[in-house]
CSV table of all heavy atoms in Angstrom, one decimal:
chain,number,residue,atom,x,y,z
A,107,LEU,N,51.4,112.2,103.4
A,107,LEU,CA,51.3,113.2,102.4
A,107,LEU,C,50.3,112.9,101.4
A,107,LEU,O,50.5,111.9,100.7
A,107,LEU,CB,52.7,113.5,101.8
A,107,LEU,CG,53.8,114.0,102.7
A,107,LEU,CD1,55.1,114.1,101.9
A,107,LEU,CD2,53.5,115.3,103.3
A,108,PRO,N,49.3,113.7,101.2
A,108,PRO,CA,48.3,113.3,100.2
A,108,PRO,C,48.8,113.5,98.8
A,108,PRO,O,49.6,114.4,98.5
A,108,PRO,CB,47.2,114.4,100.5
A,108,PRO,CG,47.9,115.5,101.1
A,108,PRO,CD,49.0,114.9,101.9
A,109,GLY,N,48.4,112.5,97.9
A,109,GLY,CA,48.8,112.6,96.5
A,109,GLY,C,50.2,112.3,96.2
A,109,GLY,O,50.7,112.5,95.0
A,110,VAL,N,51.0,111.7,97.1
A,110,VAL,CA,52.4,111.3,96.9
A,110,VAL,C,52.5,109.8,96.6
A,110,VAL,O,51.8,109.0,97.3
A,110,VAL,CB,53.3,111.7,98.0
A,110,VAL,CG1,54.7,111.2,97.9
A,110,VAL,CG2,53.3,113.2,98.2
A,111,THR,N,53.3,109.5,95.6
A,111,THR,CA,53.6,108.1,95.4
A,111,THR,C,55.0,107.8,96.0
A,111,THR,O,56.0,108.5,95.6
A,111,THR,CB,53.6,107.7,93.9
A,111,THR,OG1,52.3,107.9,93.4
A,111,THR,CG2,54.0,106.2,93.7
A,112,LEU,N,55.1,106.9,96.9
A,112,LEU,CA,56.4,106.6,97.6
A,112,LEU,C,57.0,105.4,96.8
A,112,LEU,O,56.5,104.3,96.6
A,112,LEU,CB,56.1,106.2,99.0
A,112,LEU,CG,57.3,105.7,99.8
A,112,LEU,CD1,58.4,106.7,99.9
A,112,LEU,CD2,56.9,105.3,101.2
A,113,VAL,N,58.3,105.6,96.3
A,113,VAL,CA,59.0,104.6,95.6
A,113,VAL,C,60.2,104.2,96.3
A,113,VAL,O,61.1,105.1,96.8
A,113,VAL,CB,59.4,105.2,94.2
A,113,VAL,CG1,60.2,104.1,93.4
A,113,VAL,CG2,58.2,105.6,93.4
A,114,HIS,N,60.4,102.9,96.5
A,114,HIS,CA,61.5,102.3,97.2
A,114,HIS,C,62.5,101.7,96.2
A,114,HIS,O,62.1,101.3,95.1
A,114,HIS,CB,61.1,101.3,98.2
A,114,HIS,CG,60.3,101.8,99.4
A,114,HIS,ND1,60.9,102.5,100.4
A,114,HIS,CD2,59.0,101.7,99.7
A,114,HIS,CE1,59.9,102.8,101.3
A,114,HIS,NE2,58.8,102.3,100.8
A,115,VAL,N,63.8,101.6,96.5
A,115,VAL,CA,64.7,101.1,95.6
A,115,VAL,C,64.9,99.6,95.9
A,115,VAL,O,65.6,98.9,95.0
A,115,VAL,CB,66.1,101.8,95.7
A,115,VAL,CG1,66.0,103.2,95.3
A,115,VAL,CG2,66.7,101.7,97.1
A,116,THR,N,64.4,99.0,96.9
A,116,THR,CA,64.4,97.6,97.2
A,116,THR,C,63.1,97.1,97.8
A,116,THR,O,62.4,97.9,98.5
A,116,THR,CB,65.6,97.2,98.1
A,116,THR,OG1,65.3,97.6,99.5
A,116,THR,CG2,66.9,97.8,97.7
A,117,HIS,N,62.8,95.9,97.6
A,117,HIS,CA,61.6,95.3,98.3
A,117,HIS,C,61.8,95.2,99.8
A,117,HIS,O,60.8,95.3,100.5
A,117,HIS,CB,61.3,93.9,97.6
A,117,HIS,CG,60.9,94.0,96.2
A,117,HIS,ND1,59.6,94.3,95.9
A,117,HIS,CD2,61.6,93.9,95.1
A,117,HIS,CE1,59.4,94.3,94.6
A,117,HIS,NE2,60.6,94.1,94.0
A,118,PHE,N,63.0,95.0,100.2
A,118,PHE,CA,63.3,95.0,101.7
A,118,PHE,C,62.9,96.3,102.3
A,118,PHE,O,62.2,96.3,103.3
A,118,PHE,CB,64.8,94.7,101.9
A,118,PHE,CG,65.1,94.7,103.4
A,118,PHE,CD1,65.0,93.5,104.2
A,118,PHE,CD2,65.6,95.8,104.0
A,118,PHE,CE1,65.3,93.5,105.5
A,118,PHE,CE2,65.9,95.8,105.4
A,118,PHE,CZ,65.8,94.7,106.1
A,119,ASN,N,63.3,97.4,101.7
A,119,ASN,CA,62.9,98.7,102.2
A,119,ASN,C,61.4,98.9,102.3
A,119,ASN,O,60.9,99.4,103.2
A,119,ASN,CB,63.6,99.8,101.4
A,119,ASN,CG,65.1,99.8,101.5
A,119,ASN,OD1,65.7,99.1,102.3
A,119,ASN,ND2,65.7,100.8,100.8
A,120,ARG,N,60.7,98.5,101.2
A,120,ARG,CA,59.3,98.6,101.2
A,120,ARG,C,58.7,97.8,102.3
A,120,ARG,O,57.7,98.3,103.0
A,120,ARG,CB,58.7,98.2,99.9
A,120,ARG,CG,57.2,98.3,99.7
A,120,ARG,CD,56.7,97.8,98.4
A,120,ARG,NE,55.3,98.2,98.1
A,120,ARG,CZ,54.7,97.8,97.0
A,120,ARG,NH1,55.3,97.1,96.1
A,120,ARG,NH2,53.4,98.2,96.9
Side-chain angles (χ1 to χ4, degrees):
L107 294 178
V110 174
T111 299
L112 174 59
V113 179
H114 295 287
V115 297
T116 73
H117 291 277
F118 178 87
N119 290 0
R120 183 184 191 179

